Amino acid sequence: MITLEKVCFAYEHEVALRYINLHIDRGDSVVIQGPNGCGKSTLIKLLNGIIFPSEGHYFYKGHEITEKTLKDRQFAKWFHQQMGYVFQNADTQLFCGSVEEEIAFGPVQMGLSEAEVRERTEDCLKLFGIEKLRERPPYHLSGGEKRKVSLACILSLNPEVLILDEPLAGLDEKTQDMLLEFLQNFHKAGKTLITITHNRQLAETIGNRFAVMNEDHELTIK
Ligand SMILES: Nc1ncnc2c1ncn2[C@@H]1O[C@H](COP(=O)(O)OP(=O)(O)O)[C@@H](O)[C@H]1O
Ligand SMILES: [Mg+2]
């Protein structure tokens, strides 16, 4: 489903990905590990179509993902709906006046009917136990609450692939357990997960394939 062929990426003067080859099948749960600065966050930005290979190719379901192919509005809409990306910092993702509006935003953009939007919003509020927060402005929530809201927003889009960067960081134990259970169910439902984590328990619980990046920005699959 996802194929990277000899993908390289460099920021202005800084190489961040070096000849990455990676194949991910539908239903895989890939855990990516590696030291600080090795390129993990860069790799998932690339998978999510925020940045593009400077060399090599990225294919998603047979379509090459480039700056040019994502200029096609319809294709870009489809692609971004397939890929749910949970940012490391939830603040950059939340901008609506209330939690409810925030969760409904994606489904509205997708053009779903009012009834469907309402149903998805309610399902996601329930899933994360945040019904009580529905009227609150996301901006004033605690860090963990914001994390739950941003996850709920992503899941309201019903993505095919969920990409997570250190998903447990800053969450209390109860929320961590809830998220672990959710991710296991997501994987069991046949969806694809890509997770960056230093947390061994999380890696062992949800991963079925393990990729390691090194300080030379190379990736190997174990
Ligand atoms: N926006 C940026 N501009 C320039 N260099 C960057 C930028 N983002 C990351 N880098 C550099 O690219 C390398 C990989 O970063 P990153 O992918 O964030 O690593 P990781 O997530 O594995 O800690 C690091 O050397 C980092 O300093
Ligand atoms: Mg990172």
Side-chain angles (χ1 to χ4, degrees):
M1 182 157 80
I2 291 174
T3 302
L4 297 182
E5 286 175 7
K6 297 183 187 157
V7 166
C8 299
F9 181 84
Y11 295 100
E12 266 167 44
H13 300 291
E14 193 69 41
V15 173
L17 303 175
R18 207 184 287 276
Y19 297 104
I20 306 281
N21 290 306
L22 178 63
H23 184 81
I24 299 174
D25 284 321
R26 182 163 195 274
D28 272 346
S29 176
V30 182
V31 170
I32 302 173
Q33 291 168 303
N36 292 328
C38 68
K40 303 178 299 295
S41 296
T42 304
L43 177 63
I44 62 172
K45 272 189 238 165
L46 187 129
L47 290 173
N48 204 50
I50 296 169
I51 57 173
F52 304 93
S54 39
E55 254 185 74
H57 303 279
Y58 167 23
F59 297 96
Y60 179 75
K61 290 191 173 170
H63 303 276
E64 183 158 17
I65 305 303
T66 65
E67 200 164 3
K68 197 163 156 228
T69 55
L70 285 188
K71 282 223 168 87
D72 182 314
R73 292 274 300 269
Q74 220 171 343
F75 179 72
K77 202 169 168 184
W78 171 81
F79 175 71
H80 289 302
Q81 197 177 309
Q82 297 270 310
M83 291 277 170
Y85 175 35
V86 181
F87 288 72
Q88 205 163 10
N89 175 2
D91 272 335
T92 55
Q93 212 169 352
L94 303 171
F95 52 86
C96 287
S98 73
V99 165
E100 210 166 29
E101 283 172 71
E102 193 74 59
I103 296 172
F105 182 82
V108 168
Q109 292 300 306
M110 275 166 73
L112 297 183
S113 74
E114 212 175 300
E116 284 171 307
V117 170
R118 205 170 314 129
E119 193 186 331
R120 283 211 189 175
T121 306
E122 289 311 312
D123 285 350
C124 289
L125 285 167
K126 229 179 271 153
L127 183 62
F128 290 98
I130 50 175
E131 294 105 314
K132 277 194 202 141
L133 302 179
R134 69 170 73 229
E135 315 262 326
R136 300 267 303 274
Y139 190 76
H140 293 302
L141 299 177
S142 78
E145 288 170 334
K146 279 184 191 164
R147 183 65 69 80
K148 287 190 214 176
V149 173
S150 41
L151 272 163
C153 290
I154 300 297
L155 292 164
S156 70
L157 297 168
N158 190 24
E160 201 45 50
V161 182
L162 190 57
I163 304 180
L164 304 144
D165 198 343
E166 290 292 354
L168 298 185
L171 297 180
D172 64 37
E173 233 167 275
K174 194 169 150 224
T175 310
Q176 290 198 9
D177 290 346
M178 180 220 66
L179 188 56
L180 260 176
E181 194 187 323
F182 167 76
L183 294 174
Q184 282 174 291
N185 288 333
F186 187 83
H187 184 208
K188 269 192 217 140
K191 303 244 184 177
T192 308
L193 264 175
I194 302 171
T195 312
I196 293 178
T197 185
H198 290 291
N199 183 306
R200 198 172 288 168
Q201 194 208 348
L202 175 64
E204 284 168 7
T205 312
I206 63 166
N208 75 333
R209 294 181 64 207
F210 298 87
V212 180
M213 293 190 68
N214 65 21
E215 273 156 4
D216 291 327
H217 312 290
E218 296 159 333
L219 178 140
T220 38
I221 289 270
K222 277 204 267 190

